[in-house]
Structures are given as C-alpha cells and as structure tokens.
C-alpha cells in the first residue's frame, strides 16, 4: 500500500502532445528520473477513470507535470480565459489532485501542476504572465534562468535553506490572485508568483519552474524531490498502521 519494498510509489500524471491533437502521451523522462534518483518508484497515470482508484490504492504521492491545457474560464481573472487546447487530461488530473488534497497525501505540482493546485485552492490565473511584470525576464523561454526570492518560514525555505536561487522558466500563464488557503513561498525577481504551498497539509507544494530539468545542476532542485519522496514514504509507513487511510 504505497510502497514497493521500502520505496514509496509516486503517481505521475502523464502529459500529451497537444500540438498534434493529443493523440499521444508525451512526458519527459526527467520527471521519472528525478523521482527515482530521490529513492521513489515513479508510475505514469493515463487519462482513464481507473487511474484515480489505482492511485488511491497504490500511490503514496502524486506529482503533476507541466502542460498547456485548457482550464475553466472561472479560474481566470475577470475578462480572461484559457487559449490552450482542450484535453482529456483536465478531468482526471483535477480528480486526482482533489483526492490527494482531501486525504492529506503528499502532492508536488510543477508548472501546470502548480496552477492546478492554486486554482483548486481558490487562486486565480492570468493567461498573460508578462503583463504582470516589467518585461525584464523572458518567462516563456526554455533557455531562461532567473532568480527567485524565497519566503522565510516556508517549507520551500526549510527544504532548500536558501533565500534566493536561480531557476529555469517556460510558462505563459501565472497565478495572480492568491487565496488565503495558500502561502506564497517564492517570487521571481520581476514579481511573479513562483511557488506556493498549503500550510494545512503535510506536504502540498507547487513550483512554476521545472526542477526536474535541474537536478544535475543545482542542489535545491534535487532537494525538492528528496523532500517530496521522503514525505510520501512517511505517509505510506503511517498508512500501513491505519488501513482505513487507504
């Protein structure tokens, strides 16, 4: 239940190639490698109803990957909406995240996964992130590296031990209205929300950047996955003592 031997099982929602009509799953290997390097077992979750029950029975943690898929219009600030493609991913991903939040299981959202977490926690988005900045950082560029300021006293600060570090960037959308259910744990140097967490849950975090691409470059990226996998392991060990939790 959540463990394979002494390794926690982490469910990873698969991405798809929306540029070709969503005909194929298309997920970077780096997500899986990051979990495996941190001591977990990574399992891909397809867009099927059975993925929800499988994850609830077998996964100690859930990770949501980057994507460009259509979110509901009500998740955006007034006058804006998503221009991303429709995807079968949305319904199953929402159900998975809601289930893990309700059951207080570890969750780590990356890029799209942070936006999903934020909107399910009462935040609102903009589809035009650059209009909320001074334009000094090209956020929608895989080659970009920029600084983030970490909020003291947050889980992110505890995990990294840093007040400021550099990340990559590849997003057009951003959380711009923040609810009282989440804490902002990092801002970009030009003022965008770059990381959030739920203080009412044992380990629920979201980051706007892609740490899975940085685990060989920066210790802070590897530390995030290590903390997530450790939290999933702790949850699974505790759940074994309380069968009703599964």
């Amino acid at each position: 239940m959540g463990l394979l031997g002494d390794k926690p099982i982490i469910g990873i929602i698969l991405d798809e190639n929306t540029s070709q009509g969503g005909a194929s799953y298309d997920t970077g290997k780096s997500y899986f490698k990051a979990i495996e390097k941190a001591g977990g077992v990574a399992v891909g979750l397809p867009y099927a109803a059975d993925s929800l029950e499988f994850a609830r029975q077998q996964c100690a943690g859930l990770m949501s990957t980057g994507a460009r898929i259509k979110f509901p219009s009500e998740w955006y600030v007034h006058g804006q909406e998503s221009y991303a493609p429709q995807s079968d991913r949305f319904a199953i991903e929402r159900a998975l995240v809601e289930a893990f939040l309700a059951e207080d299981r570890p969750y780590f959202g990356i890029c799209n996964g942070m936006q999903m977490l934020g909107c399910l926690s009462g935040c609102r988005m903009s589809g035009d992130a650059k209009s909320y900045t001074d334009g000094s950082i090209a956020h929608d560029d895989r080659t970009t590296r920029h600084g983030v300021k970490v909020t003291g006293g947050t889980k992110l600060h505890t995990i990294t031990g840093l007040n400021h570090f550099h990340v990559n960037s590849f997003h057009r959308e951003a959380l711009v209205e923040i609810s009282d259910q989440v804490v902002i744990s990092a801002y970009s140097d030009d003022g965008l929300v770059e990381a959030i967490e739920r203080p009412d849950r044992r380990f629920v975090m979201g980051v706007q950047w892609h740490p899975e691409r940085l685990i060989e470059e920066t210790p802070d990226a590897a530390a995030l996955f290590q903390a997530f996998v450790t939290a999933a392991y702790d949850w699974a060990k505790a759940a074994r003592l309380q069968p009703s939790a599964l």
Side-chain angles (χ1 to χ4, degrees), residues 25 64 68 107 134 143 166 184 187 218 227 236-237:
Y25 291 115
S64 176
R68 293 192 175 179
Y107 171 78
D134 60 10
T143 66
H166 283 80
I184 300 173
Y187 290 92
T218 60
K237 293 290 283 188

Side-chain angles (χ1 to χ4, degrees), residues 75 108 114 165 188 195:
W75 284 12
F108 187 30
M114 183 184 104
F165 57 92
S188 63

Side-chain angles (χ1 to χ4, degrees), residues 29-31 33-34 37 110 141-148 165-170 194 207-225:
K29 292 181 181 179
S30 53
Y31 294 109
K33 290 179 178 178
K37 185 174 181 179
I110 294 174
D141 185 341
R142 292 180 187 272
T143 66
T144 292
R145 296 291 187 272
H146 67 79
V148 294
F165 57 92
H166 283 80
V167 301
N168 52 16
S169 190
F170 189 46
E194 287 282 341
V207 300
Q208 189 61 70
W209 65 93
H210 283 267
E212 79 284 357
R213 295 174 177 264
L214 300 174
I215 57 172
E216 302 296 340
E217 297 180 29
T218 60
D220 49 85
L224 282 170
F225 289 100

Side-chain angles (χ1 to χ4, degrees), residues 4 8 18 29 57 69 71 74 119 158 173 224 228 232 237-238:
L4 183 63
T18 52
K29 292 181 181 179
Q57 290 188 26
I69 61 174
F71 283 177
E74 60 268 24
C119 291
T158 299
E173 302 187 315
L224 282 170
F228 172 49
K237 293 290 283 188

